[in-house]
Amino acid sequence: MLKQDSTTDAPRTDVAAQDDHVRTIFGILEGEREADLLLRNLNILDVHSETVYPGSLLVHGQRIIALNPDESIVRFRETFDGEGLYAIPGLIDAHLHFESQLAHPAAFGEAIVPSGTTTVFGETLDFASAAGAEAVDAARALFADHDKLPYRLYAFAPGKKTSPEVTEAMLAMDPVIGLGELAHLSYMTGNADDFRKSALGRANAGFVNCHWGVTSLSDMLLNYMPAIGVDNNHDVWNEDDIEKSIRYGLNTQIKFGVGSPEVIRTMLRAIVKRRWPAENFALCADNISVDRVLRQGHIDWVVSLAVEMGMPPIKAIKMGTLYAARSFHKDRDLGSLSPGRFADIVLTDSLSKINPRYVFKGGELVAKDRKLLAPVRIDYSVLAKQPKPGLGDLRAEQLDLAPLELSDNGTQAKVLLFDVYGRGHLAFAQEVWVPYRDGAVVPEHEGVRLNRISIVQRYADGARHIVNGLFKGVSIDRGAVSTFWPAPSAYFVVVGTDSAEMCDNLERLDGLVGGCVVTADRQVKATLPLDFYGVMADMDLAELVEATRSIDDALTKLGNHNEGEPVVNKLLTLFISLDRFGFMK
């Protein structure tokens, strides 16, 4: 029985609105009322039958209401000539962390929408964790104008790194649709807070995403996540991981924005080789820089790569559209060009290599030839914070690399070696033997000269926690580069060759809310401030790209040769593994 508010008469109002809607659609199809838009001269991809047919789409109220309408009957306010291009559903990123892009939602839209992405399922756990006691208000500010974005945003409440109270409050917000990135038994052993969050997600009738822990759990414990109703899993890195994920019935998200560029190829090759049905999979970035999107593409790029790996084009497109929507039970709204679905449409001149010529969100043309037509200006400045320095007592000698162990003859030292591309392959941090001469560690392994790295606690309670080691991923001849991440606890990472330079660099970064700083000879060469709780920049897309590229340019002058993601994004991904493998208190 419907509950009725005697003062607002809410159910009656809703029925009245729906009555108007169905009468409007009927009137348009009878030629008695006017639709918003007719898109003509298209080659339409039907993802349900996996065929392409010539035709047109009639749009009203942001949704498709007719296929190939009889133009002698219907009336419409505007027309659009599709130039004979292929019409495919708007592309969907099934799992993405906003804070890992360093861009606020509007700036991120400037990058992804021209690539054909019209829907994002976004995690906010690190943002909420960074905001601490302000997490609920910060999330409301982040989501406040999401309907003005040139893409659709569906978000998730934190499944880890925040209190159950924060999770519960966020589950009640629009556009949150479920519990994000639950991580039972891969990051922790399970406690009352974990169980409470799981219960909240289930009680809210929302979706539950997870890190499944396939690389670290016993076969018995792998049953836990699917048994409590987890829907989606993105914690796969290779063929064996994928096989287990789909066998346990999880909607498996194939990620392409994390770690080595070869990881996505490895996973796509496995899907093709094993002939696993594409319906098991959705495509996602997880973490990706806006710079990489601009240079390479977003979901459009990985769809094209899947085809290159041997997947039929329509199957590849369905992983980035229908199957992603279906995994969240959103296929009544998204993922196909059918009546009743949102008119989120990409026009491309090829199905095997996606080239978004035109991008529509809800029937509105929002991008053309990989450029956003009207960047959205949303004021997020309420999220900007003031710096709270915490390294006033740091000394350079605390960053010196000391042996964990010396060899019997005193010529070798055992030290930690960190690898920026090791995550997911159990090689993120290893203990290795390196030369030891004149009472000092020689930063060299297997004949390769390496930089040093220090992981430094920002706000010490008693003795400051510092971990020193060697590092693969940045190679500079002099100077230093540092980054900061506030969640789940505040830590810096600094890479360099000299303890005094590294210490000076950290002190400069400590004067910011967060970000990245490059120094040489104790002079600042480049800076990227992240004023929103230390995880997001208060910049539009052009400003953010300029800042990240300035970091790379400064490091190039210091001897670094970078490929793939910008250095700042590479370094920031370290914090996920530093936390996971116990290097942050």
Side-chain angles (χ1 to χ4, degrees), residues 231-269:
D231 297 275
N232 295 279
N233 169 47
H234 65 282
D235 193 13
V236 292
W237 296 87
N238 53 47
E239 183 175 332
D240 291 341
D241 293 353
I242 295 171
E243 182 175 38
K244 283 189 175 182
S245 185
I246 61 177
R247 178 171 293 165
Y248 281 70
L250 295 167
N251 293 306
T252 301
Q253 298 161 341
I254 303 300
K255 56 190 172 188
F256 63 95
V258 179
S260 168
E262 186 58 29
V263 170
I264 180 61
R265 291 178 170 84
T266 297
M267 292 192 286
L268 291 174
R269 287 191 194 103

Side-chain angles (χ1 to χ4, degrees), residues 111-127:
I112 63 169
V113 173
S115 293
T117 302
T118 56
T119 298
V120 164
F121 290 88
E123 296 279 352
T124 58
L125 59 96
D126 284 308
F127 174 81

Side-chain angles (χ1 to χ4, degrees), residues 62 118-121 150-154 334 342-344 361-362:
Q62 296 193 46
T118 56
T119 298
V120 164
F121 290 88
Y151 58 95
R152 300 188 193 282
L153 169 61
Y154 299 95
L334 309 166
F342 282 119
D344 299 345
K361 178 206 173 188

Side-chain angles (χ1 to χ4, degrees), residues 257-405:
V258 179
S260 168
E262 186 58 29
V263 170
I264 180 61
R265 291 178 170 84
T266 297
M267 292 192 286
L268 291 174
R269 287 191 194 103
I271 294 170
V272 172
K273 181 184 79 171
R274 297 292 295 274
R275 299 183 180 179
W276 285 315
E279 66 193 37
N280 291 299
F281 306 107
L283 303 178
C284 73
D286 199 4
N287 304 323
I288 191 171
S289 69
V290 290
D291 192 282
R292 182 173 166 191
V293 171
L294 294 177
R295 295 177 188 270
Q296 186 176 17
H298 190 217
I299 302 298
D300 60 318
W301 175 77
V302 75
V303 167
S304 302
L305 181 62
V307 177
E308 184 182 320
M309 296 292 103
M311 187 175 293
I314 294 178
K315 297 285 189 186
I317 292 170
K318 289 175 75 171
M319 291 197 305
T321 55
L322 180 64
Y323 296 148
R326 188 172 289 169
S327 72
F328 294 104
H329 298 183
K330 291 291 184 183
D331 48 317
R332 291 183 63 187
D333 292 321
L334 309 166
S336 68
L337 302 181
S338 309
R341 278 67 173 181
F342 282 119
D344 299 345
I345 304 164
V346 175
L347 302 187
T348 173
D349 51 27
S350 171
L351 296 181
S352 59
K353 188 172 179 59
I354 305 300
N355 177 32
R357 292 285 315 284
Y358 302 94
V359 181
F360 294 81
K361 178 206 173 188
E364 178 186 357
L365 182 63
V366 290
K368 177 182 177 182
D369 292 330
R370 294 192 178 270
K371 291 186 178 180
L372 200 65
L373 295 182
V376 175
R377 306 300 180 191
I378 297 175
D379 184 4
Y380 296 101
S381 60
V382 67
L383 297 173
K385 301 287 110 178
Q386 292 299 314
K388 295 181 180 179
L391 294 184
D393 61 346
L394 185 67
R395 304 184 313 277
E397 56 266 28
Q398 292 176 279
L399 309 183
D400 290 343
L401 181 55
L404 300 174
E405 181 182 343

Side-chain angles (χ1 to χ4, degrees), residues 529-552:
L530 298 176
D531 292 328
F532 295 172
Y533 296 102
V535 297
M536 284 183 187
D538 188 9
M539 302 177 184
D540 63 23
L541 178 64
E543 292 169 330
L544 178 57
V545 170
E546 181 181 3
T548 57
R549 291 181 180 176
S550 74
I551 298 292
D552 280 359

Side-chain angles (χ1 to χ4, degrees), residues 382-456:
V382 67
L383 297 173
K385 301 287 110 178
Q386 292 299 314
K388 295 181 180 179
L391 294 184
D393 61 346
L394 185 67
R395 304 184 313 277
E397 56 266 28
Q398 292 176 279
L399 309 183
D400 290 343
L401 181 55
L404 300 174
E405 181 182 343
L406 284 176
S407 63
D408 291 340
N409 62 10
T411 63
Q412 288 190 307
K414 182 181 285 185
V415 298
L416 282 168
L417 172 62
F418 295 90
D419 185 350
V420 71
Y421 281 147
R423 186 155 49 88
H425 305 286
L426 303 183
F428 168 71
Q430 304 174 75
E431 293 184 358
V432 299
W433 290 98
V434 300
Y436 188 74
R437 290 195 293 267
D438 300 324
V441 172
V442 178
E444 178 182 298
H445 183 245
E446 296 180 343
V448 178
R449 188 81 174 178
L450 298 173
N451 282 144
R452 289 164 40 202
I453 185 171
S454 292
I455 300 106
V456 182

